[in-house]
Amino acid sequence: MDSYRFGAGRYIQENNALDFCGEEIKRYGNKAYVIGGNTAIAVTEKRLCSSFEKYGLAYYMERFSGYPSVQKIEGLKAVVKEKDCNVLVGVGGGRIMDLAKAAAFGLGIPIVAIPTQAATCAAYSPLSVLYTPEGHSDNYIHFEYEVNAIIVDNQVMLTQSPRLLASGILDGMAKYIEIATLHPKVLDGNTSIARNSAFYMAKYTYDVLGQKGEKAVSDLKTGVWTKDLHDVIYVNIALTGIVSALMQGKGQTALGHAFNNALHRDFLEYIKKWLHGEGVALGLLAQLVYNGEDDRVEELKRLMKEFDMPCSLAEIGINTSPEINEKLFQRLCTYPFMTHDKEHEKLLKKAIESVGE
């Protein structure tokens, strides 16, 4: 069955959205299990609890700061059942979203996402990225239905760091660079309308983030809400998630994301202090070389430097060598995007070497 899960049943992004989140969550259940990161709960707890009480929503709240591992997912499922909760609410960043989604879908109960940052599209995408308890990349879980609701409070978004927003901008821009690798095949007469739509939406996303991204990060630094900031957050979370859904999480040469995952598999001690979008951006530099678009590398580096992102493996502490490059090559060859012929393997080796220094 060629089915699509477009990410979210309802998407709400406005000022003071937290103030009526209790009413929204009660659409799906009358007893909520709320799990969030320490910082996320700190900036939302007072308003969350006030709204829950106003609308008569019973709840239990947990703070969690680890990784979305199989072990934690099973533990969370057990405690949600023990507390007899019938809706799960994730509050925070990508790790919390992936954890909450996986547990909710495993239990077969509704999931409401309340992101406190726009560093990824994790709140929107109907999949979870899993890690080991130590933080190594592990696996993906694709879900059969969407997140029930996403509640984005603009005032909460003002509390995130500019670095987190910049990370989301590069993560969002990655979709076009990754999908464009298939060009012109993505645009031929035999390609599905969904993939053609994904291509054009990814291009639009890329253009909006390129035009408004730096201004939005600058606005966030001043702590003043602007339309550019609103638009970039919408694109980072919602549109990027829709593009991923249209591609059904496959059919693209996602070297940017694969590169970041490979670093989390084999070089965790170096990459763990960098955000998801920062690791993806490093992979995008390699992706452009793989795509034969070497002339665009400096343009991307300029934006990354503006956002104080690392532009080489050396800048994250990895002193490359033939052995290091071969290790990355062998790991990347295990990902589904890789075409196993001499031409593409040569391109991949060139791409890896290009981000060494």
Side-chain angles (χ1 to χ4, degrees):
M1 182 184 297
D2 193 22
S3 63
Y4 295 87
R5 295 135 307 100
F6 288 113
R10 286 166 61 82
Y11 180 85
I12 299 162
Q13 180 180 332
E14 60 181 79
N15 287 328
N16 304 315
L18 277 192
D19 296 342
F20 55 84
C21 69
E23 180 182 30
E24 178 65 25
I25 296 166
K26 280 196 74 175
R27 293 167 61 93
Y28 311 103
N30 56 18
K31 188 176 183 183
Y33 193 96
V34 182
I35 184 165
N38 291 322
T39 300
I41 294 297
V43 300
T44 61
E45 183 175 14
K46 183 177 179 180
R47 293 172 62 202
L48 281 175
C49 294
S50 176
S51 184
F52 294 167
E53 291 164 9
K54 177 180 179 180
Y55 292 101
L57 177 68
Y59 67 95
Y60 181 89
M61 188 173 289
E62 176 188 348
R63 292 167 176 78
F64 178 71
S65 59
Y67 291 90
S69 65
V70 171
Q71 295 89 330
K72 178 57 186 175
I73 290 166
E74 291 305 312
L76 179 56
K77 286 164 60 179
V79 74
V80 171
K81 289 178 70 175
E82 176 191 335
K83 299 293 182 183
D84 197 29
C85 295
N86 52 17
V87 57
L88 213 161
V89 180
V91 184
R95 293 178 189 172
I96 288 293
M97 297 303 154
D98 286 339
L99 171 62
K101 287 184 296 184
F105 290 128
L107 290 167
I109 64 174
I111 170 70
V112 176
I114 303 179
T116 57
Q117 54 183 252
T120 69
C121 64
Y124 204 97
S125 301
L127 65 88
S128 285
V129 181
L130 304 188
Y131 296 82
T132 67
E134 298 76 27
H136 293 279
S137 290
D138 186 12
N139 205 347
Y140 291 86
I141 304 175
H142 289 267
F143 305 119
E144 292 301 315
Y145 55 93
E146 298 88 351
V147 171
N148 295 86
I150 299 167
I151 303 171
V152 182
D153 186 292
N154 291 344
Q155 299 308 308
V156 170
M157 283 290 155
L158 278 175
T159 68
Q160 71 184 306
S161 71
R163 180 187 176 190
L164 287 165
L165 182 62
S167 173
I169 289 168
L170 268 297
D171 187 49
M173 294 176 79
K175 294 299 182 188
Y176 174 64
I177 296 174
E178 291 173 341
I179 295 172
T181 310
L182 298 174
H183 182 77
K185 292 180 182 178
V186 125
L187 302 175
D188 70 22
N190 297 317
T191 304
S192 72
I193 189 66
R195 290 197 178 182
N196 278 336
S197 300
F199 178 89
Y200 287 111
M201 186 174 285
K203 178 63 167 63
Y204 173 75
T205 294
Y206 183 91
D207 290 343
V208 170
L209 293 176
Q211 294 162 8
K212 297 191 174 192
E214 290 179 73
K215 175 66 163 48
V217 171
S218 177
D219 292 340
L220 181 59
K221 289 178 180 178
T222 68
V224 177
W225 192 259
T226 64
K227 185 177 186 301
D228 287 333
L229 192 48
H230 177 98
D231 293 351
V232 165
I233 288 170
Y234 181 89
V235 169
N236 280 5
I237 297 174
L239 288 194
T240 303
I242 293 173
V243 171
S244 180
L246 286 166
M247 291 298 293
Q248 297 175 307
K250 58 188 178 183
Q252 54 189 305
T253 305
L255 179 55
H257 282 80
F259 199 93
N260 181 54
N261 289 343
L263 292 175
H264 277 86
R265 288 255 186 175
D266 300 319
F267 301 94
L268 181 61
E269 65 272 28
Y270 299 101
I271 194 63
K272 65 182 179 182
K273 70 177 182 179
W274 300 99
L275 299 174
H276 172 84
E278 293 169 338
V280 169
L282 190 55
L284 288 179
L285 294 173
Q287 176 105 45
L288 288 173
V289 174
Y290 184 87
N291 291 4
E293 298 178 284
D294 304 51
D295 57 319
R296 294 180 58 194
V297 168
E298 289 306 314
E299 170 195 349
L300 182 60
K301 277 188 176 180
R302 184 204 66 76
L303 182 60
M304 291 169 64
K305 288 176 181 177
E306 177 68 25
F307 291 150
D308 296 320
M309 293 183 179
C311 294
S312 68
L313 292 172
E315 289 183 27
I316 67 171
I318 300 176
N319 295 315
T320 56
S321 65
E323 293 75 23
I324 294 290
N325 289 344
E326 181 64 19
K327 190 172 184 178
L328 273 170
F329 173 77
Q330 292 298 331
R331 175 62 71 185
L332 289 168
C333 279
T334 68
Y335 287 91
F337 77 84
M338 184 57 192
T339 302
H340 293 284
D341 59 40
K342 288 185 178 179
E343 178 186 355
H344 286 89
E345 289 181 357
K346 184 178 178 180
L347 277 173
L348 181 58
K349 288 182 177 180
K350 178 185 176 184
I352 292 169
E353 291 172 1
S354 72
V355 294
E357 300 295 333

